[in-house]
Amino acid sequence: MTAFKPGDPLTINRLYGRSSGHKLRQGQQELVEGLLPQLAVPAQGEISARALFGDERPLHFEIGFGSGEHLAYRADLLPDHGFIGAEPFLNGVATALGHIRDGALRNVRLHMGDALEVLRRVPDGALTMLYLLHPDPWPKARHAKRRMVNDGPVRLFADKLKPGGELRIATDHPVYLEWTLMTMQRHTDRFEWLAERPRDFLEPVGGWIETRYGAKSRREGRRPYYLRYRKL
Ligand SMILES: C[S@@+](CC[C@H](N)C(=O)[O-])C[C@H]1O[C@@H](n2cnc3c(N)ncnc32)[C@H](O)[C@@H]1O
């Protein structure tokens, strides 16, 4: 288990974005008050498949799920797997709750807040898949420490994934792409990049749908890149 010391990059608060936007509609407010407490990850203790779902099913974790389309799609595709999503943005959480209700998804648990806080409580080697889709790019060099892809979090990702598990990262930002490739290059003892040809990181594969942000990026003429790493 990774030890956390003051000054460790993991102890830097990574919640810099907005946590709420426009006022919730009444139906969304009801979901936040009624459904979210039923699906919320417990505030304390270990976050294992057994603790959340009462069995040993494969566990997936999505960091910053936005409005939850990808999370809901994956959970619907794999009903026997368990999904944990973390997102601090209230309006995104409310939209995700709508997808969970509409899809009658029983295999999703949510945390409204910092993903790393919750990820630390997942037992080492417990995750089958970890998704980090279009993390905030923090393109200025002076904000680089705020990026979710950094040595501290990447070590945490490696600890939490089981051997053979997969880390999926999407970004449309050239600075973040280069930063991610360089950062992951420092962790080749724990992760293997699965790309064999350029096409492998230009198209999503293996049940990987485009997120809301990814679709917007494409509409605006940018290109999302898709990186897959296998945990060794
Ligand atoms: C650019 S958006 C992408 C959203 C979604 N993944 C998509 O592709 O549509 C980045 C998201 O990361 C979330 N985020 C930022 N810091 C976070 C943190 N520490 N833990 C979890 N989510 C975080 C933001 O609230 C935002 O929703």
Side-chain angles (χ1 to χ4, degrees):
M1 174 85 83
T2 307
F4 299 99
K5 306 176 289 295
D8 187 297
L10 272 177
T11 61
I12 294 169
N13 177 9
R14 257 161 238 283
L15 286 181
Y16 302 98
R18 55 189 188 154
S19 60
S20 66
H22 61 78
K23 193 170 180 301
L24 297 183
R25 294 189 303 273
Q26 191 187 335
Q28 290 182 312
Q29 189 65 40
E30 284 166 13
L31 285 173
V32 169
E33 286 167 14
L35 186 55
L36 183 57
Q38 296 174 40
L39 302 183
V41 166
Q44 288 178 346
E46 189 173 83
I47 299 174
S48 59
R50 182 153 293 283
L52 296 182
F53 302 104
D55 54 29
E56 300 296 333
R57 66 185 68 193
L59 263 191
H60 301 231
F61 195 115
E62 184 164 341
I63 298 174
F65 58 72
S67 300
E69 287 87 3
H70 175 271
L71 183 68
Y73 173 84
R74 295 289 293 170
D76 190 44
L77 196 68
L78 299 166
D80 301 335
H81 293 208
F83 288 78
I84 304 167
E87 168 60 59
F89 187 52
L90 172 65
N91 302 65
V93 171
T95 307
L97 287 167
H99 296 311
I100 292 168
R101 178 204 52 205
D102 295 347
L105 302 174
R106 306 178 65 83
N107 55 339
V108 183
R109 298 291 179 270
L110 300 183
H111 171 68
M112 195 168 85
D114 182 11
L116 297 185
E117 235 175 73
V118 172
L119 192 56
R120 281 175 200 144
R121 292 198 278 131
V122 171
D124 285 356
L127 294 181
T128 294
M129 300 280 284
L130 182 56
Y131 311 96
L132 176 58
L133 308 179
H134 300 287
D136 293 325
W138 297 109
K140 292 183 181 150
R142 70 171 189 277
H143 290 146
K145 280 189 174 168
R146 298 181 178 190
R147 296 174 190 155
M148 192 55 87
V149 175
N150 258 302
D151 289 328
V154 169
R155 278 195 288 272
L156 185 70
F157 303 162
D159 287 347
K160 302 306 169 185
L161 278 163
K162 62 171 64 170
E166 193 174 314
L167 168 64
R168 293 186 171 182
I169 305 175
T171 185
D172 67 343
H173 202 288
V175 170
Y176 210 91
L177 176 66
E178 186 184 351
W179 174 268
T180 300
L181 292 172
M182 287 171 63
T183 304
M184 294 302 291
Q185 198 54 34
R186 291 196 290 276
H187 299 272
T188 48
D189 56 330
R190 308 199 68 195
F191 283 109
E192 173 190 26
W193 187 20
L194 291 173
E196 287 169 6
R197 331 163 264 244
R199 204 177 65 208
D200 290 347
F201 73 105
L202 300 177
E203 288 164 16
V205 294
W208 188 346
I209 58 155
E210 199 148 75
T211 63
R212 180 181 285 216
Y213 184 90
K216 177 169 175 269
S217 155
R218 222 177 262 283
R219 277 198 310 276
E220 292 174 356
R222 297 187 299 279
R223 169 184 272 292
Y225 297 95
Y226 304 93
L227 306 177
R228 296 170 64 216
Y229 291 91
R230 181 189 294 130
K231 167 73 193 306
L232 296 173

